[in-house]
Amino acid sequence: MNKETNPLHRHPSIAVYPGSFDPVTKGHLDIIHRSAKLFDRLIVAVSHNSSKTPLFTMDERKQLLLGATRDLDNVEIDSFDGLLVNYLRKRNARLIIRGLRAMTDFEFELQMASTNRKLSEEAETFFMSTSPEYSYLSSSIVKEIAKYAGPVGDLVPPDVEQALRAKFPQVQ
Ligand code: ADP
C-alpha cells in the first residue's frame, strides 16, 4: 500500500498529549520526544483541570514546556479548558497520547480512554510506556522533593529546577 492509498497516510497525523504538566518532568519529555517521532505533529495541551490546584500558573507551565521543547520542530504547546474531545475536534485531531508508568496508572487511564471513546467515536488513545528510569517520576514527587530542598536536577530540565527554587525560596 502506498502513501496515497493507505488511509493512515492520507492526512498528516496530529496527536494531542494532554496533562497538567505542573511542572513538566523528564518523564513527560521522554514521552514527548518519543511520540514526536511517530506523528507528523504533536500538540502538548496543558489542561486547566479545575479539580487540582496547580503550583504553577497556566502561563508558567506553558513557558516551561516551550523552553524544554524548543529543539522539536513538530511540537506545539497549547492549553485547553473543558472536555478533551471538544479540544480534539477543534484541532482536527483524533489521537490522544498518554504515558503509562505502572499498573496503578492503568485503571484510571483505561477509564478515561473508554470515556473519551464514548464521547467521541473518532477519539483513539495511544498509551506509551515510560522509560524504566522514569517509572517512579511524577510532578507531585518533584514538587514534594523541591519543597524540602531536595535535589531535582536529575528529574526536571534546568529551567524547571530554577522555577521550583523560586517557588520554594525559604528552604533553599
Ligand atoms: P494528569 O494530571 O492529566 O495525569 P500529568 O501532567 O500528571 O497530567 O501527566 C500527563 C501524562 O503524562 C499522563 O498520561 C501521565 O501518565 C504521563 N506521565 C507523567 N509522568 C510520567 C513519567 N514519568 N513517565 C511516563 N509518563 C508520564
Side-chain angles (χ1 to χ4, degrees):
M1 214 184 280
N2 65 29
K3 270 198 165 197
E4 269 61 55
T5 52
N6 182 345
L8 286 175
H9 284 292
R10 228 178 275 149
H11 300 291
S13 53
I14 307 171
V16 173
Y17 179 30
S20 315
F21 304 102
D22 184 40
V24 59
T25 68
K26 288 192 177 177
H28 295 129
L29 288 170
D30 173 55
I31 300 289
I32 292 173
H33 276 94
R34 286 161 58 209
S35 44
K37 285 190 199 139
L38 297 173
F39 303 99
D40 295 320
R41 186 162 193 77
L42 178 70
I43 303 169
V44 181
V46 187
S47 156
H48 279 276
N49 196 346
S50 52
S51 62
K52 290 184 194 168
T53 309
L55 175 65
F56 290 96
T57 65
M58 172 56 76
D59 220 45
E60 288 169 332
R61 285 180 278 160
K62 284 171 78 174
Q63 282 306 322
L64 292 171
L65 272 162
L66 270 173
T69 58
R70 206 167 283 143
D71 54 330
L72 298 168
D73 288 346
N74 63 337
V75 173
E76 173 190 334
I77 310 300
D78 195 12
S79 56
F80 75 102
D81 211 352
L83 288 178
L84 176 61
V85 290
N86 290 342
Y87 177 73
L88 289 178
R89 284 195 197 104
K90 189 177 123 195
R91 297 306 312 262
N92 229 344
R94 50 181 297 202
L95 311 177
I96 303 165
I97 304 290
R98 294 288 287 176
L100 278 184
R101 281 162 293 193
M103 280 307 285
T104 44
D105 279 341
F106 186 74
E107 204 171 321
F108 174 70
E109 292 293 340
L110 193 65
Q111 187 184 18
M112 287 238 298
S114 307
T115 305
N116 284 327
R117 249 339 261 294
K118 181 91 190 147
L119 293 172
S120 164
E121 252 175 38
E122 302 104 66
E124 289 289 357
T125 303
F126 282 50
F127 292 112
M128 196 165 259
S129 59
T130 177
S131 293
E133 66 264 43
Y134 302 128
S135 60
Y136 65 93
L137 186 52
S138 69
S139 298
S140 316
I141 292 278
V142 164
K143 284 182 277 191
E144 200 63 16
I145 299 172
K147 190 169 155 189
Y148 298 109
V152 292
D154 286 346
L155 314 179
V156 295
D159 286 1
V160 176
E161 186 181 8
Q162 230 177 15
L164 281 163
R165 285 225 180 94
K167 288 281 177 190
F168 300 112
Q170 71 284 9
V171 288
Q172 296 292 326

